[in-house]
Amino acid sequence: MSTARWQTMVILGAQWGDEGKGKVTDYYGSQADYVVRFQGGNNAGHTIVYRGQVLKLHLLPSGVLHKRCITVIGNGVVLDPRVLFEELAQLKKLGVVPRLMISERAHIIFPFHISMDDVSEGAFKKKNLAALSTKRGIWPTYADKMARVGVRVVDLLNRELFRRKFDLLYDVQLRKLRILYNFRGRLRPKEVIFQGYLKKGRRLKPYVADVSLALACAYEQGKRIIFEGAQGTMLDIDHGLYPYTTSSNTTVGGACTGAGVPPQQIERVVGVVKAYVSRVGGGYLPTELTDALGARIREIGQEYGTTTGRARRIGWLDLVQLRFAARVNGFTGLALTKVDTLNGFKAIKVCVAYRYKGKLVRDLPADLMVYEKCQPVYRVFPGWSGGYAHARTRAALPLPLRRYLTFIEREVGVPIDLISTGPGREATIIRR
Ligand code: GDP
């Protein structure tokens, strides 16, 4: 894909998150008029270096630092206003005042959602199910949205409606906490939370908009729009490795429902793929490396969570998983990151299929007990070494690396549009 010819683009994690979406979004973001987040909440994490300062953003889209870019929080996001105000304050210190638009339909995270997240984890852990939570109140807020007792941004702007909705939500949550989870802690008094969030609503008001309508107008005017996914395909609540997932749709359909845009308006779908895999939380990882090799990749790649600091589990690239991601998302191109992390390894393995009870399996099984018995079938490639940090074309990359790239493209059936050979913006090779 040439860099110039696109109007709308969805950028998604093709694996378990932490693929380097931040860098890829930042790269394309410099050409965008809008960057939109459409799912998740402040459980995402981007590390951006701005004027020598390290900036950690969990909620705001990575486009905030591009001056001409309007950053958008779609209806599919769950919003913690306190985190939003903190991130805005961080940016203000750097002299950045983002042009921000927040959907009136996004749901609000309250302190009791965070308490729920906190106390429920023990119950899940005992049964060894569910991904480790970031304890930011994300899933309880989505659960309330689906139970239709949630409070949306627009509700905070209407005292009478907020009162009714809040009373119901607070009572429901309190009972759940006490009865289901045996919560004996103290919640802040109902009235204090109510008044506090009314006030937050007033602070949010200048940013609140009908995002779907605004994006439709922008599209009509030929503006360039990037939809920025958080987490990754395998964490999708429907298509991921349920229940080791997040609580929203991280796949391409999430961009339509989470921002209110029709699928015909989505031109490009870029799958961000790391040259190996990493994940946090539970669940089987067929290509996992629990040995010294895995530890070495973790150290070189600095695979520790941006939000939680947790060490990530590491494994070889899994093409069964990647083909699945390409099918569900309809990737038009891949962005392959962190090839430099694998510099200097004698052999690089790629999982091309699984073996289950003597048979080859090429598609992801939904049954977890079957999945857990799938053994990876590897193809081994000779490794590559460094010395290509300044390569600007694919032809300038070492031959073993080029062969690896071509193999991935052929197996997945999707071209690699972007190759990232280091964290910096300049360490990027684009297919012309
Ligand atoms: P995201 O959540 O998908 O944006 O991924 P993370 O932020 O968790 O991980 C990306 C990290 O890897 C950031 O610190 C990036 O600076 C870094 N990164 C991105 N691409 C590359 C690359 O090609 N090589 C190296 N060495 N680091 C990269």
Side-chain angles (χ1 to χ4, degrees):
M1 176 187 66
S2 84
T3 48
R5 291 176 58 81
W6 60 273
Q7 192 194 343
T8 59
M9 179 188 286
V10 182
I11 299 178
L12 299 170
Q15 297 157 318
W16 279 269
D18 308 315
E19 298 92 345
K21 292 178 296 294
K23 171 177 165 172
V24 176
T25 311
D26 181 61
Y27 184 86
Y28 289 116
S30 58
Q31 306 159 25
D33 300 297
Y34 289 77
V35 177
V36 185
R37 270 203 67 184
F38 55 86
Q39 46 80 220
N42 52 308
N43 53 346
H46 294 305
T47 309
I48 305 173
V49 180
Y50 182 74
R51 294 188 184 153
Q53 299 230 38
V54 178
L55 196 65
K56 290 194 185 224
L57 297 178
H58 299 293
L59 177 63
L60 286 168
S62 29
V64 283
L65 295 176
H66 295 294
K67 273 210 182 82
R68 69 190 208 110
C69 195
I70 298 180
T71 50
V72 182
I73 292 180
N75 57 280
V77 171
V78 287
L79 179 82
D80 187 334
R82 294 179 302 181
V83 174
L84 178 80
F85 299 142
E86 273 167 29
E87 293 193 355
L88 288 174
Q90 250 196 83
L91 288 168
K92 201 172 169 191
K93 272 195 207 147
L94 296 173
V96 178
V97 181
R99 300 166 70 194
L100 177 66
M101 196 187 278
I102 299 172
S103 168
E104 49 200 5
R105 291 175 167 84
H107 279 246
I108 298 288
I109 301 175
F110 288 95
F112 41 76
H113 287 126
I114 299 169
S115 307
M116 170 75 76
D117 210 344
D118 207 20
V119 296
S120 63
E121 196 178 62
F124 290 138
K125 234 190 219 160
K126 271 186 218 142
K127 294 197 164 45
N128 193 26
L129 283 179
L132 280 180
S133 172
T134 50
K135 299 190 185 171
R136 309 283 156 103
I138 311 287
W139 78 255
T141 308
Y142 277 118
D144 282 339
K145 171 177 173 175
M146 293 309 178
R148 287 157 297 166
V149 292
V151 169
R152 303 181 301 170
V153 168
V154 68
D155 302 329
L156 299 184
L157 310 182
N158 178 335
R159 188 188 183 100
E160 195 189 321
L161 191 60
F162 179 40
R163 179 86 259 174
R164 269 192 279 148
K165 288 194 163 194
F166 182 76
D167 284 351
L168 173 67
L169 180 63
Y170 187 90
D171 293 345
V172 167
Q173 283 297 334
L174 197 65
R175 264 186 288 164
K176 269 203 277 187
L177 276 167
R178 298 248 194 272
I179 299 167
L180 284 182
Y181 297 106
N182 208 20
F183 177 73
R184 292 288 169 265
R186 283 169 63 92
L187 283 185
R188 264 196 290 157
K190 184 168 159 181
E191 208 46 37
V192 174
I193 303 180
F194 177 77
Q195 293 300 336
Y197 277 74
L198 261 185
K199 219 160 117 189
K200 289 178 182 40
R202 287 195 289 273
R203 276 182 77 184
L204 287 175
K205 200 173 176 186
Y207 306 112
V208 179
D210 184 336
V211 159
S212 167
L213 181 63
L215 292 178
C217 296
Y219 182 80
E220 280 301 307
Q221 291 164 11
K223 301 285 188 204
R224 287 178 150 195
I225 308 169
I226 288 182
F227 299 89
E228 174 190 317
Q231 293 93 36
T233 297
M234 294 306 288
L235 299 174
D236 184 281
I237 185 83
D238 283 278
H239 301 288
L241 196 67
Y242 188 87
Y244 303 100
T245 58
T246 192
S247 38
S248 59
N249 284 115
T250 57
T251 49
V252 68
C256 296
T257 53
V261 295
Q264 307 93 306
Q265 288 181 7
I266 292 179
E267 261 170 42
R268 306 273 175 185
V269 187
V270 177
V272 185
V273 181
K274 195 146 56 178
Y276 47 95
V277 301
S278 72
R279 77 152 301 165
V280 286
Y284 182 54
L285 190 61
T287 62
E288 184 160 12
L289 292 165
T290 50
D291 54 7
L293 199 61
R296 186 172 153 205
I297 297 176
R298 181 181 306 115
E299 277 320 299
I300 302 173
Q302 279 304 293
E303 296 294 350
Y304 298 94
T306 319
T307 302
T308 58
R310 286 194 291 240
R312 295 173 183 150
R313 296 160 64 195
I314 305 292
W316 292 118
L317 187 66
D318 182 343
L319 294 185
V320 180
Q321 181 275 317
L322 193 54
R323 280 193 298 264
F324 167 80
R327 170 161 56 80
V328 170
N329 292 307
F331 292 145
T332 56
L334 301 178
L336 191 77
T337 65
K338 292 200 156 182
V339 293
D340 56 306
T341 300
L342 298 183
N343 279 348
F345 284 75
K346 215 154 79 196
I348 306 287
K349 288 187 184 176
V350 179
C351 167
V352 291
Y354 301 147
R355 196 176 297 283
Y356 174 71
K357 290 191 172 170
K359 287 206 180 97
L360 276 190
V361 176
R362 285 181 59 83
D363 296 296
L364 279 185
D367 184 327
L368 286 189
M369 287 176 80
V370 173
Y371 185 57
E372 282 163 12
K373 291 196 183 81
C374 284
Q375 290 304 314
V377 176
Y378 286 117
R379 166 115 180 214
V380 184
F381 289 81
W384 53 85
S385 46
Y388 54 84
H390 301 293
R392 291 295 162 269
T393 63
R394 192 156 153 171
L397 294 174
L399 185 62
L401 175 53
R402 277 187 279 145
R403 289 206 170 122
Y404 175 81
L405 300 174
T406 307
F407 182 77
I408 295 170
E409 286 178 323
R410 212 178 54 218
E411 280 284 309
V412 181
V414 180
I416 297 175
D417 284 340
L418 183 154
I419 304 160
S420 173
T421 59
R425 234 194 234 184
E426 69 298 337
T428 311
I429 297 172
I430 293 289
R431 190 162 72 90
R432 306 277 162 199

